[in-house]
Amino acid sequence: MKKCSVLVLAIFCLHNIFAQSPYLSFKDNSQPGQQILNGIITKYALQNDSTYKWYASSQNTYNPSPELVNSLVSAKGKIQFVVFGGTWCEDTQFILPKFFKLQEQAGFPDAAISMFAVDRNKKTVGGITDAFKVLNVPTIIVMKDGKELGRVVEYGKTGQWDKELTDLLK
C-alpha cells in the first residue's frame, strides 16, 4: 500500500511538472475579454484562441508579393527568427499575423521561429527581452548560426516592415 501511495504521488507530481504551459495568461484590464500572454508561444496559441479575432482579420488583409515570398523561400535552412510581440499591442496585432502568412506561403518551417509574448512592460518570463535588448514590439530578429543579422522593430524604419525583413535576408 505504501509503495502504491508513493507511486501515485510521484505520477501526480510529474504530471503537474510536465503539464505546465510555457507561458502565462492573465486578463487584460484595458481590453475586456482579452488575455495577455507572457512567455514562449507559437502562432497557434493566437490562431486557435477565439479571443484573438484580430489574428485572422489582419492575416486576411495581407497578400505578400512573390518577391517577398521568394526571399523567405531562399532563406529556408539558413536562418532562424526570434519574434517578440504583445497580444495587447496594436502594432503586434497588425504585423505578426502578416509575418506568419508570409512564413506559411514560403513554407518556412515553424521550428525555425521562436516567439515570445511580452506583458505591457515589454518583459517576458525569464528575462528574454532583456537578453535580446527588446524595447518595442513587435520585434522580429533574424539570426544565423546563433548571431543576429538584424532586426525589424515595429513597422521598421521605412514603414515597410516586410521589405526591410527581406532586405536582411539578402
Side-chain angles (χ1 to χ4, degrees):
M1 183 68 176
K2 187 175 182 180
K3 284 183 182 181
C4 185
S5 298
V6 171
L7 182 61
V8 169
L9 180 62
I11 291 171
F12 177 76
C13 289
L14 284 174
H15 179 280
N16 284 340
I17 289 170
F18 292 111
Q20 290 188 11
S21 174
Y23 61 88
L24 303 173
S25 177
F26 47 93
K27 287 183 183 179
D28 184 352
N29 295 330
S30 299
Q31 297 176 354
Q34 294 287 315
Q35 295 287 315
I36 292 178
L37 302 182
N38 186 288
I40 302 168
I41 66 168
T42 67
K43 65 183 177 184
Y44 304 106
L46 304 173
Q47 284 177 340
N48 298 330
D49 189 328
S50 62
T51 61
Y52 303 118
K53 292 177 178 47
W54 50 263
Y55 190 91
S57 64
S58 181
Q59 224 181 33
N60 291 337
T61 64
Y62 181 63
N63 291 306
S65 72
E67 176 190 4
L68 296 174
V69 173
N70 289 335
S71 69
L72 203 54
V73 168
S74 299
K76 275 194 271 188
K78 300 174 187 170
I79 59 122
Q80 301 81 38
F81 291 105
V82 180
V83 179
F84 293 88
T87 54
W88 49 268
C89 171
E90 289 180 11
D91 295 342
T92 296
Q93 294 171 5
F94 182 83
I95 293 171
L96 286 191
K98 293 169 175 59
F99 167 77
F100 285 116
K101 185 171 187 177
L102 175 61
Q103 174 241 338
E104 290 164 3
Q105 287 189 0
F108 196 85
D110 289 344
I113 301 172
S114 299
M115 184 171 168
F116 299 90
V118 302
D119 62 19
R120 287 189 176 274
N121 295 318
K122 299 176 187 114
K123 300 294 180 189
T124 189
V125 176
I128 303 299
T129 50
D130 294 333
F132 279 93
K133 296 179 175 59
V134 172
L135 301 175
N136 295 305
V137 291
T139 294
I140 303 170
I141 302 173
V142 180
M143 305 286 290
K144 182 174 184 172
D145 300 324
K147 295 187 172 121
E148 181 175 331
L149 293 179
R151 62 178 64 192
V152 176
V153 179
E154 295 176 329
Y155 292 93
K157 296 174 183 136
T158 64
Q160 295 180 309
W161 66 271
D162 49 359
K163 182 169 180 344
E164 289 182 34
L165 185 65
T166 58
D167 288 346
L168 289 173
L169 303 177
K170 294 179 183 174

